């Protein structure tokens, strides 16, 4: 079953499910064993090699959802990203990184990369002239995120993939925020797609996992590095992730509806100074998001009119969302990036990136839209 013959909602439930079912069980079992009998002429199946039945099952499901030939599941999103990078970069190679990226990935590329011997050139995701200027003979890859955090921007994703192809570079993209329900980067030419499956793919804030998808050849190289660096996904977590994936479509749909309704409500409220959500016509990347995405996602950010004090008051007054980092779960979460995801940056770096101390980031859950809007209406009038 592929995206060519069924819609995404059907794919999320049925992709990679064996038919007829194994032992007639509608639910794929957890093969907890670490080691398997070797068949004549066969290879070794071992948990760290990511080729045991429950791992293969969830990997096939993830590959189908991203529309990729193959997938390898990892023990976290950072394991997916770091292993994918190791599979394409050797010491002395350089990588072009476009736009703002997730804090952990930024620390890996801005600090750790120097010790590994990778050169990193940070460029503007909107300005191809900066990509051209960064290009050197040692450049081997480009890296971007489909939607950035916390200002929810969408860079020139199609242009960057074409630039990579034109110059023989491997293109990597972190597609965690939109999920393949909204955007499938392989369809616009990306070679390797990484996810933190900890977020919306699992959707229940109760496991850590990651995945890399791509061609069979590229994924074999990632799997080889995963075998050596050891970040494979254990079968029990793989089982839970597959359970989460089956409801991905309905969850993302509900989250999108909540995010759009909240963004519109906040944009029209006189206690709010600005709202960042690509579903709003006022967002600078609205046209690009309409063109590329099947929805605008679960993440929005905004600033109250009264500055930091008003932001702190609002966070205390909201009763439905948890004040917590992370995103993509069934429960709404609210944070100030200045004290969570972007706390490691200096105040000057944050100011330059447009991340004021009063900026609030919201990850919508699947609660009733009216309840979330009412919670904000009440909290803003307190
Ligand atoms: C959370 C996140 C990661 C890291 O994932 P973990 O599962 O926490 O290792 C990477 N990229 C993005 C965009 C994220 O939101």
């Amino acid at each position: 079953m592929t995206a060519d013959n069924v819609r995404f909602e059907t794919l999320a439930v049925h992709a990679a499910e064996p038919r007829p079912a194994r032992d007639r069980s509608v639910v794929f079992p957890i093969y907890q064993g670490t080691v398997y009998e070797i068949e004549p002429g066969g290879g070794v199946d071992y948990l760290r090699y990511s080729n045991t039945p429950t791992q293969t099952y969830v990997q096939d499901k993830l590959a189908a959802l991203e529309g990729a030939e193959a997938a390898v599941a990892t023990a976290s999103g950072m394991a997916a990203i770091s292993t994918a990078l190791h599979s394409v970069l050797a010491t002395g190679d350089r990588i072009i990184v476009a736009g703002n990226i997730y804090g952990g990935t930024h620390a890996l590329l801005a600090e750790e990369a120097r010790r590994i011997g990778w050169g990193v050139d940070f460029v503007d995701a909107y300005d191809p002239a900066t990509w051209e200027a960064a290009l050197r003979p040692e450049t081997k890859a480009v890296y971007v995120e489909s939607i950035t955090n916390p200002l929810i921007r969408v860079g020139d994703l199609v242009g960057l993939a074409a630039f990579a192809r034109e110059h023989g570079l491997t293109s990597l993209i972190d597609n965690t925020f939109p999920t393949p329900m909204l955007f499938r980067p392989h369809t616009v030419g990306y070679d390797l797609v990484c996810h933190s499956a900890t977020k919306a793919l699992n959707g229940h804030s109760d496991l850590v996992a990651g995945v890399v998808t791509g061609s069979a050849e590229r994924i074999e190289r990632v799997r080889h590095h995963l075998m050596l660096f050891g970040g494979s996904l254990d079968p029990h977590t793989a089982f839970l992730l597959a359970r989460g994936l089956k409801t991905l479509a309905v969850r993302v749909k509900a989250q999108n509806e909540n995010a759009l309704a909240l963004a519109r409500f906040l944009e029209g409220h006189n206690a709010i100074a600005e709202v960042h959500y690509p579903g709003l016509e006022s967002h600078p990347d609205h046209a690009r998001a309409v063109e590329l995405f099947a929805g605008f996602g679960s993440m929005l950010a905004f600033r109250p009119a009264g500055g930091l004090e008003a932001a702190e008051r609002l966070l205390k007054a909201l009763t439905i969302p948890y004040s917590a980092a992370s995103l993509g779960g069934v429960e709404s979460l609210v944070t100030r990036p200045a004290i969570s995801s972007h706390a490691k940056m200096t105040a000057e770096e944050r100011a330059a990136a447009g991340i004021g101390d009063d900026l609030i980031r919201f990850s919508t859950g699947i609660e009733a839209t009216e309840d979330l809007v009412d919670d904000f209406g009440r909290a803003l009038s307190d």
Side-chain angles (χ1 to χ4, degrees), residues 9 12 181 246-256 366:
E9 291 82 347
M181 167 92 178
K246 290 178 194 172
T247 57
L248 177 64
V250 287
R251 286 187 284 102
V252 169
K253 210 162 145 215
Q255 288 172 325
N256 286 355
I366 62 167

Side-chain angles (χ1 to χ4, degrees), residues 85-86 89-95 97 104-122 349:
L85 289 169
H86 274 292
L89 296 176
T91 299
D93 288 346
R94 302 192 71 83
I95 183 167
V97 178
T105 315
H106 187 268
L108 175 67
L109 288 170
E111 296 157 28
E112 236 17 70
R114 210 171 308 131
R115 286 157 34 94
I116 301 169
W118 299 337
V120 182
D121 298 294
F122 290 96
E349 283 173 330

Side-chain angles (χ1 to χ4, degrees), residues 76-79 81 102 105 143 145 174 176-177 195-199 208-210 326-327:
S76 68
M78 284 312 298
I81 293 161
Y102 174 74
T105 315
Y143 188 93
E145 291 185 1
D174 179 333
T176 301
F177 272 37
H195 280 276
S196 168
T198 311
K199 316 294 166 54
V208 177
S326 200
L327 59 122

Side-chain angles (χ1 to χ4, degrees), residues 238-268:
F239 167 84
L240 288 174
L241 173 56
R243 181 167 75 165
L245 287 173
K246 290 178 194 172
T247 57
L248 177 64
V250 287
R251 286 187 284 102
V252 169
K253 210 162 145 215
Q255 288 172 325
N256 286 355
E257 284 168 12
N258 280 343
L260 187 59
L262 265 186
R264 288 203 172 122
F265 173 77
L266 293 172
E267 191 174 47

Side-chain angles (χ1 to χ4, degrees), residues 294-371:
F296 303 109
S298 63
M299 302 298 290
L300 63 143
F302 57 92
R303 275 193 324 109
L308 179 58
E309 199 194 318
E312 286 185 323
R313 206 170 341 113
L314 176 61
L315 288 191
K316 280 206 194 82
L318 290 168
T319 61
I320 293 179
Y322 288 92
S323 186
S326 200
L327 59 122
V330 292
E331 56 289 293
S332 290
L333 302 174
V334 66
T335 55
R336 273 199 303 121
I339 56 161
S340 56
S341 55
H342 294 69
K344 285 208 198 80
M345 288 167 93
T346 64
E348 292 77 47
E349 283 173 330
R350 278 198 301 272
I355 306 165
D357 283 355
D358 56 352
L359 187 76
I360 295 174
R361 187 187 86 168
F362 200 90
S363 165
T364 51
I366 62 167
E367 300 93 343
T369 310
E370 298 76 4
D371 290 333

